[in-house]
Amino acid sequence: MCGIVGYIGNKNCVPILINGLKRLEYRGYDSAGIGILTDDNAIIVKQKGKVSLLEEKIEELNLYSNIGIGHTRWATHGIPNEMNAHPHSNNDGTLFLIHNGIIENFHVLKKGLLKLGYQFKSETDSEVIVHLIDSFLKKGFDLTKSVQLALNEVEGTYGLAIVYSKEPDKIVVARKGSPLVVGIGDGENFVASDVSAILAYTKQVIYLEDGEVAILKKDSFSAKTIYDKEIEKEVHEITMSLDEIDRGGYAHFMLKEIMEQPETVRNSIRGRIIDEDGTSILGGLSDVVNELTDSKRILITACGTSWHAGLVGEYMFEQFCRIPTEVEYASEFRYRNPIIEKNDAIFFISQSGETADTLAAMREAKMKGALVLGICNVVGSSIARETNAGVYTHAGPEIGVASTKAFTSQLTVLALITLLIARRKNLSRVDGKTIADELKLIPEKIEKILKLNNEIEKIAEEFKDATNFLYLGRGYNFPVALEGALKMKEISYIHAEGYPAAEMKHGPIALIDENMPVVFIAPKDSTYEKIISNIQEVKARGGRIIAIANEDDNEIDKLVDYTIKVPQTIRMLMPILTVIPLQLLAYHIAVKKGLNVDQPRNLAKSVTVE
Ligand code: M6R
């Protein structure tokens, strides 16, 4: 998830690009860059770190141009550094572009381009696009046609803006899967990944759809498909405030991030499944895959929500890979001189990649000679850099302190790792294919659950004054109970506990009365009958029950006060679905209590101190 902005007109584009990038910084902030044309020459300035550092660098250069593009990066391929920052240019520096998205077939395209003699400067997937377009320019096509032909070969997602010094009167832009909006001005036009970057200059916008290419000149706009069909586009008037726009029109980042989950899970899966073999391909683990498959024990270490993801990972690894797996809080692991054997593999899961306890635990394990692996969201973060190998979750920047989309992406990546190992062990191709097919269906099932938002808000109204909550689940859904309780505590300040449902009778049952709401995570799986018994035990004691159940389960409605129905999937993937209503429930209760959802008291997004 990166931010892109572009300008063509009569004004100096440099301050417009910098202002736009500042507004887009929430989309990515590990490096930034601009590319402009001056007297048919291309000038590119890039900087690692925040846009303010780029701004300082640019101030000294005193640049002026009427056409330019700018980018703020959230790394997916290649660490955050100046070389990997955008724009990327062709080998003679006449063509440059900015890209938001992921190119799935970039390895294949890169191989072909290397054979043609193209030299790559960065580790990014984006750089293949600029050389691919260049290869068509070299065959004599104009810029627009070259972009169309190149995009016919590209698999994956993109929001692109491209400038060519030999056609200095235009910016060509294109979109598939990544947002892109064109701003129409008077004698000037704009492009951006979202309207917040250009709203200060125009309220007239055109939204590009997937597979569309647009040509922006200073006083004209036209659009075609990548297959060269002319299209008419409608101009819309923006009525939202800038503040609303940053949050994608949602009231809070947390809600925006909950709603993004179909897309973020898709991004975690993108390009990582090999359908015909019923397995996954994870480039970041390729050097260690044999060692990992042969490991005698897997340890998973993390904090908070990431630790809950680890617990689900334990169930997955033991069920399918048949490797004994243990999950431990990083804060405990780091101080208890853990026993680490020669054939242990240790995963460190962290959204930020900077959590102090997880980082210290990782360094301790590395020092003891273990194979240390990361599952991180932030590319180039300390854990990502210091582990021997790892997998990025590709969830994009998570701003809300309560982790939501990072969790479902972590579960998705754990499922992909399970497939990778299990297929190399005992899992059959057919069973691997079932898991892969089910995984691919998860994003649309999440979409379906998100449609229950209003229904869940009504349930939140009923329970907003509760002072305690109990969350109960079994098997794969026990960690979901813990995660649901954590979400409730951290943003609504309601005391909440998660337990394996069967543990209730060993203590928590004493708490049950008409003032104790109990959330049961009760999808139809092999423990369903058992959990129904637990529901009856709570019912008998007057507890108020909310159940997360499957769509085809009509029986459970008779036993509980409220049901939230989620689609069915295989057991190992169920947590990715069952957690979504719990995120929404916590969110709505916190909003109704008038609390600061995105920045709850006493909490920080990244806990970089002990
Ligand atoms: O960045 P990390 O995943 O390492 O962070 C770990 C925890 O601090 C984090 O999950 C925390 O528990 C969240 N606030 C939960 O929503």
Side-chain angles (χ1 to χ4, degrees), residues 572-592:
M572 70 179 287
L573 301 180
M574 209 59 197
I576 310 179
L577 302 182
T578 49
V579 77
I580 310 268
L582 305 186
Q583 297 169 344
L584 284 169
L585 183 67
Y587 169 77
H588 285 299
I589 288 187
V591 171
K592 286 177 190 300

Side-chain angles (χ1 to χ4, degrees), residues 285-578:
L285 293 182
S286 56
D287 291 344
V288 297
V289 68
N290 290 334
E291 226 179 314
L292 179 58
T293 310
D294 294 340
S295 59
K296 294 277 168 286
R297 183 175 70 141
I298 294 178
L299 300 172
I300 304 177
T301 301
C303 303
T305 290
S306 298
W307 182 77
H308 297 153
L311 290 176
V312 179
E314 176 183 13
Y315 284 91
M316 291 181 184
F317 290 161
E318 293 209 337
Q319 184 183 354
F320 294 97
C321 310
R322 306 305 295 157
I323 301 177
T325 304
E326 289 166 32
V327 187
E328 185 158 6
Y329 284 117
S331 52
E332 291 298 312
F333 182 94
R334 64 182 287 196
Y335 285 120
R336 68 172 183 87
N337 194 16
I339 297 168
I340 294 169
E341 308 279 359
K342 203 166 132 257
N343 291 314
D344 286 345
I346 314 187
F347 280 100
F348 295 86
I349 307 180
S350 175
Q351 186 285 129
S352 60
E354 302 294 348
T355 300
D357 283 325
T358 314
L359 187 56
M362 188 272 295
R363 287 177 179 156
E364 176 71 16
K366 199 173 178 187
M367 209 243 317
K368 287 183 186 297
L371 173 66
V372 293
L373 308 165
I375 298 177
C376 293
N377 192 32
V378 179
V379 175
S381 55
S382 302
I383 294 173
R385 278 186 283 113
E386 293 183 35
T387 38
N388 301 124
V391 187
Y392 286 119
T393 50
H394 294 333
E398 194 177 61
I399 312 280
V401 164
S403 190
T404 52
K405 63 177 181 170
F407 179 67
T408 46
S409 282
Q410 287 165 346
L411 299 185
T412 305
V413 163
L414 284 162
L416 289 166
I417 297 171
T418 303
L419 256 187
L420 180 76
I421 305 173
R423 280 289 288 124
R424 297 167 71 91
K425 299 187 87 177
N426 293 329
L427 191 73
S428 70
R429 186 175 160 278
V430 173
D431 290 343
K433 213 171 149 17
T434 304
I435 295 174
D437 289 346
E438 281 295 331
L439 194 53
K440 286 191 288 180
L441 291 173
I442 291 292
E444 61 194 71
K445 292 182 179 176
I446 298 177
E447 269 159 23
K448 226 172 157 193
I449 299 169
L450 292 173
K451 292 202 176 110
L452 304 176
N453 187 29
N454 291 343
E455 195 182 307
I456 296 170
E457 188 182 354
K458 283 186 199 137
I459 300 175
E461 181 63 35
E462 293 296 313
F463 288 92
K464 67 178 193 307
D465 298 320
T467 47
N468 290 289
F469 259 93
L470 199 57
Y471 287 74
L472 301 173
R474 281 173 178 258
Y476 278 100
N477 285 296
F478 157 53
V480 176
L482 297 180
E483 176 60 8
L486 178 63
K487 289 290 90 87
M488 187 62 82
K489 300 186 244 233
E490 68 180 330
I491 59 166
S492 74
Y493 316 150
I494 295 175
H495 173 245
E497 298 281 351
Y499 274 95
E503 276 295 303
M504 184 180 64
K505 58 185 170 298
H506 298 289
I509 199 164
L511 296 168
I512 309 282
D513 63 16
E514 62 286 356
N515 297 317
M516 175 62 91
V518 184
V519 180
F520 276 96
I521 300 116
K524 278 209 167 154
D525 60 21
S526 55
T527 58
Y528 179 74
E529 296 306 328
K530 305 271 174 211
I531 211 152
I532 291 295
S533 306
N534 301 136
I535 287 176
Q536 267 152 346
E537 286 155 16
V538 171
K539 193 88 216 143
R541 288 159 181 84
R544 291 194 294 159
I545 302 174
I546 303 170
I548 313 299
N550 282 132
E551 285 170 340
D552 59 355
D553 185 353
N554 299 322
E555 289 308 301
I556 202 164
D557 299 335
K558 297 172 200 152
L559 298 174
V560 305
D561 299 274
Y562 298 91
T563 23
I564 304 170
K565 300 278 178 80
V566 300
Q568 186 58 276
T569 183
I570 51 173
R571 273 179 73 199
M572 70 179 287
L573 301 180
M574 209 59 197
I576 310 179
L577 302 182
T578 49

Side-chain angles (χ1 to χ4, degrees), residues 104-283:
E104 288 168 20
N105 60 340
F106 92 100
H107 284 297
V108 181
L109 294 173
K110 189 168 177 176
K111 239 190 222 167
L113 290 161
L114 284 169
K115 272 195 201 144
L116 291 175
Y118 283 96
Q119 284 154 18
F120 284 75
K121 294 185 284 258
S122 77
E123 304 156 303
T124 65
D125 52 337
S126 311
E127 194 183 346
V128 297
I129 316 172
V130 77
H131 297 310
L132 194 59
I133 296 170
D134 181 87
S135 71
F136 289 106
L137 289 169
K138 294 258 159 33
K139 288 181 187 155
F141 296 105
D142 68 7
L143 178 61
T144 310
K145 191 72 195 162
S146 298
V147 170
Q148 289 170 309
L149 291 168
L151 294 182
N152 276 296
E153 294 188 14
V154 163
E155 286 167 24
T157 56
Y158 50 79
L160 282 168
I162 307 137
V163 174
Y164 184 34
S165 63
K166 296 185 181 167
E167 296 182 39
D169 62 334
K170 63 175 79 75
I171 303 176
V172 175
V173 304
R175 172 204 163 147
K176 186 182 162 205
S178 301
L180 207 67
V181 60
V182 170
I184 304 294
D186 189 10
E188 57 186 6
N189 285 316
F190 305 81
V191 63
S193 44
D194 66 62
V195 281
S196 64
I198 54 177
L199 202 65
Y201 312 101
T202 181
K203 286 191 173 348
Q204 308 292 318
V205 299
I206 293 170
Y207 295 102
L208 286 198
E209 300 300 331
D210 284 354
E212 293 182 351
V213 175
I215 301 105
L216 309 190
K217 297 189 175 179
K218 70 177 184 181
D219 38 28
S220 74
F221 163 88
S222 58
K224 301 174 176 199
T225 67
I226 60 167
Y227 306 111
D228 210 31
K229 192 170 160 260
E230 301 282 341
I231 33 180
E232 286 293 316
K233 298 296 295 178
E234 200 184 328
V235 179
H236 298 263
E237 168 104 17
I238 296 291
T239 51
M240 271 193 276
S241 71
L242 268 176
D243 200 35
E244 277 174 288
I245 285 166
D246 280 351
R247 287 178 264 105
Y250 292 104
H252 300 95
F253 279 107
M254 183 182 175
L255 184 58
K256 173 174 177 272
E257 286 156 8
I258 292 173
M259 293 297 173
E260 275 172 7
Q261 289 176 106
E263 200 45 37
T264 50
V265 168
R266 240 175 235 129
N267 283 340
S268 305
I269 300 170
R270 199 177 297 287
R272 288 171 160 178
I273 285 179
I274 308 177
D275 284 310
E276 58 279 17
D277 296 335
T279 188
S280 65
I281 174 165
L282 295 165

